Amino acid sequence: MNAEIIAVGSELLLGQIVNSNAQFLSKQLAEIGVNVYYHTVVGDNPSRLAETIEVARKRSNLIVFTGGLGPTKDDLTKETIAKLLGRNLVSDSYALEGIEQYFKQTNRIMTENNKKQALVIEGSSVLQNDHGMAPGMGIQIQNITYMLLPGPPKEMQPMFISYGKEYLLKQLGEVDHIESRVLRFFGIGESQLETEIEDLIDAQTNPTIAPLAADGEVTLRLTAKHRSIEMTKVLLDEVEEKITSRVGEFMYGYGTTSLVSEVMKKLINHKLTVSSAESLTGGLFAQELTNEQGSSQVFASAIVCYSNEVKQNVLQVSPDILSSDGAISEKTARTLAENVRDLLGTDIGISFTGVAGPDESEGKPVGTVYIGLAFKQKPTKVYSLKLAGTRNGIRMRTVKYGFHYILQVLNET
């Protein structure tokens, strides 16, 4: 069953509300093996809605509508669909009784147009609305299934879970289960990652492999389909093992986790604390870490050492280093990391110095970055980077690299 979700409502096109219904339905349909190939949004206009339906009928055998079932004149979804299908609208007595009861209980006058919400397409299976007035409906004509659901998520979601999904499962018979797994990578670009696993992507059938890059990271979404839930997991395990055998050093987690979350877990498990000396990043590392719940267990403090005076007077970077090598240098990064660790009494010290732009500094180009990482009883490491992008982009990616390097060392421990 290949599906298209059509959201009806001019407020969606105007950007007044977000189409969260499509996201919800796509996830729900995927769980029962229905392929969602199209999301469409159309305004409250019967002719444009009719045109949209004609297009959908040529490419989908399940069309799910949300919105346009209310009492006002611009709620025209079921009227338009009924006309296209050559069916009448009839009043559903159960729905009408519920509407009348609602107005009695709230001591409000029921206007005539509210009866419109009880109308359903003749011959359809009515989907009860336990959280509102307008019922949903499902009907199959000429091998195409039409499902109409209300627009408000608080009505639509429980209706689909309680009644809509059951209606579709009866039509589907045996169901393929779809399972997805997201692998998260950092320190490798999207193009390089794709090159390393190009043959796996070219040969993909089941599971499928979908790369996605965002915010300096790369994710791979693996999706498997099988009648057995256990077999979907086996299929995912097999393709994940092939991927990690090639690029596993860059993988740091699954799903919606983040570099900072993974670092937090490791620090707590190892009972380690960290402090930061931040020139280039201006406290961003500390901000990201303290955004995490439980950060007080692992984070001591940050010293924002933007000026050379603070580097020298607070963090004891020698004037000789600042004059000979500069503030943006390997030696300065090393000294900052070691001294902030010792000054604040933590297990780990990390430092950030570099050029975020828009102009070069100390004769060094924009994007020059040094990150110092000083673990107790381990040799201090200094990482040199050449980054590109906006000022804020360089700063944020620098912080991510900081978490990435901490995680690498922790994984070796």
Side-chain angles (χ1 to χ4, degrees):
M1 189 175 275
N2 299 325
E4 178 160 351
I5 298 169
I6 298 177
V8 183
S10 297
E11 66 276 10
L12 293 164
L13 294 174
L14 293 169
Q16 294 172 344
I17 62 170
V18 175
N19 186 14
S20 59
N21 286 343
Q23 180 186 32
F24 170 83
L25 287 169
S26 286
K27 288 181 179 179
Q28 291 291 320
L29 292 169
E31 288 178 5
I32 60 174
V34 175
N35 306 306
V36 178
Y37 290 143
Y38 302 96
H39 284 182
T40 304
V41 180
V42 62
D44 301 308
N45 180 285
S47 61
R48 286 193 286 272
L49 176 56
E51 291 170 6
T52 301
I53 295 169
E54 289 296 349
V55 171
R57 292 204 286 199
K58 294 173 183 176
R59 61 192 186 187
S60 306
N61 53 15
L62 168 63
I63 309 173
V64 182
F65 301 84
T66 62
L69 303 184
T72 61
K73 289 184 178 180
D74 60 357
D75 291 309
L76 297 168
T77 300
K78 57 191 171 188
E79 289 84 350
T80 304
I81 296 171
K83 185 177 180 180
L84 285 174
L85 299 180
R87 296 292 180 99
N88 294 320
L89 288 173
V90 296
S91 182
D92 180 71
S93 58
Y94 184 84
L96 182 59
E97 182 181 341
I99 294 169
E100 290 172 341
Q101 188 65 29
Y102 168 80
F103 280 97
K104 285 180 182 177
Q105 288 178 347
T106 57
N107 198 28
R108 293 167 57 192
I109 297 172
M110 178 176 166
T111 56
E112 191 65 25
N113 61 349
N114 279 287
K115 293 181 180 179
K116 175 187 172 185
Q117 294 181 97
L119 296 176
V120 297
I121 298 172
E122 189 176 18
S124 65
S125 297
V126 177
L127 309 177
Q128 187 174 317
N129 190 340
D130 296 327
H131 299 269
M133 298 188 199
M137 61 208 82
I139 186 169
Q140 186 179 63
I141 295 178
Q142 296 179 347
N143 296 319
I144 298 177
T145 300
Y146 303 82
M147 179 171 284
L148 287 69
L149 301 169
K154 66 179 182 180
E155 298 179 29
M156 186 278 293
Q157 293 183 11
M159 179 186 290
F160 183 81
I161 290 170
S162 299
Y163 308 108
K165 187 182 287 190
E166 182 182 355
Y167 172 82
L168 293 177
L169 285 171
K170 287 179 181 178
Q171 293 189 320
L172 285 167
E174 287 191 72
V175 176
D176 278 337
H177 297 277
I178 295 179
E179 185 86 16
S180 288
R181 182 180 301 173
V182 175
L183 315 183
R184 305 193 72 89
F185 299 83
F186 187 82
I188 184 171
E190 182 182 19
S191 58
Q192 184 186 347
L193 179 63
E194 285 194 32
T195 299
E196 295 291 338
I197 62 169
E198 187 174 9
D199 59 316
L200 300 179
I201 294 174
D202 290 343
Q204 65 178 321
T205 51
N206 184 26
T208 58
I209 305 170
L212 178 67
D215 297 328
E217 300 188 28
V218 185
T219 61
L220 291 177
R221 189 184 70 246
L222 315 180
T223 305
K225 180 188 291 189
H226 200 275
R227 294 285 166 87
S228 162
I229 295 177
E230 289 72 21
M231 274 306 300
T232 60
K233 293 177 181 177
V234 170
L235 291 168
L236 291 172
D237 288 342
E238 288 175 352
V239 73
E240 180 186 334
E241 186 177 350
K242 291 177 182 178
I243 292 168
T244 53
S245 68
R246 304 182 191 186
V247 291
E249 63 184 293
F250 301 103
M251 182 179 159
Y252 72 83
Y254 297 91
T256 58
T257 191
S258 65
L259 281 164
V260 62
S261 294
E262 293 302 311
V263 167
M264 272 281 297
K265 292 175 194 173
K266 291 282 186 180
L267 290 173
I268 290 172
N269 289 340
H270 288 81
K271 296 181 179 178
L272 297 174
T273 56
V274 63
S275 55
S276 60
E278 304 192 49
S279 179
L280 165 71
T281 52
L284 282 175
F285 176 88
Q287 178 180 315
E288 288 295 302
L289 194 53
T290 54
N291 280 340
E292 294 288 311
Q293 187 174 356
S295 58
S296 60
Q297 299 177 60
V298 301
F299 184 64
S301 182
I303 296 177
V304 178
C305 48
Y306 221 64
S307 70
N308 282 357
E309 288 76 15
V310 175
K311 292 180 180 73
Q312 182 177 321
N313 298 329
V314 178
L315 286 161
Q316 303 301 304
V317 180
S318 77
D320 291 341
I321 290 176
L322 292 172
S323 61
S324 62
D325 294 81
I328 303 162
S329 66
E330 179 180 339
K331 284 187 179 179
T332 297
R334 181 183 302 275
T335 306
L336 287 172
E338 292 174 346
N339 289 0
V340 77
R341 176 198 64 193
D342 295 342
L343 178 64
L344 297 174
T346 56
D347 301 296
I348 306 164
I350 189 168
S351 67
F352 303 92
T353 183
V355 189
D359 302 314
E360 66 177 30
S361 179
E362 298 183 347
K364 298 178 178 73
V366 173
T368 301
V369 172
Y370 293 95
I371 300 174
L373 189 56
F375 275 67
K376 276 186 178 179
Q377 300 176 339
K378 287 180 181 288
T380 299
K381 296 183 178 183
V382 178
Y383 304 88
S384 173
L385 298 169
K386 299 293 184 184
L387 303 179
T390 64
R391 177 179 174 82
N392 283 337
I394 289 170
R395 282 152 48 91
M396 286 306 303
R397 286 177 63 200
T398 297
V399 168
K400 286 193 174 186
Y401 269 104
F403 286 116
H404 172 63
Y405 294 138
I406 293 174
L407 194 57
Q408 281 187 328
V409 177
L410 290 172
N411 285 334
E412 295 167 2
T413 303

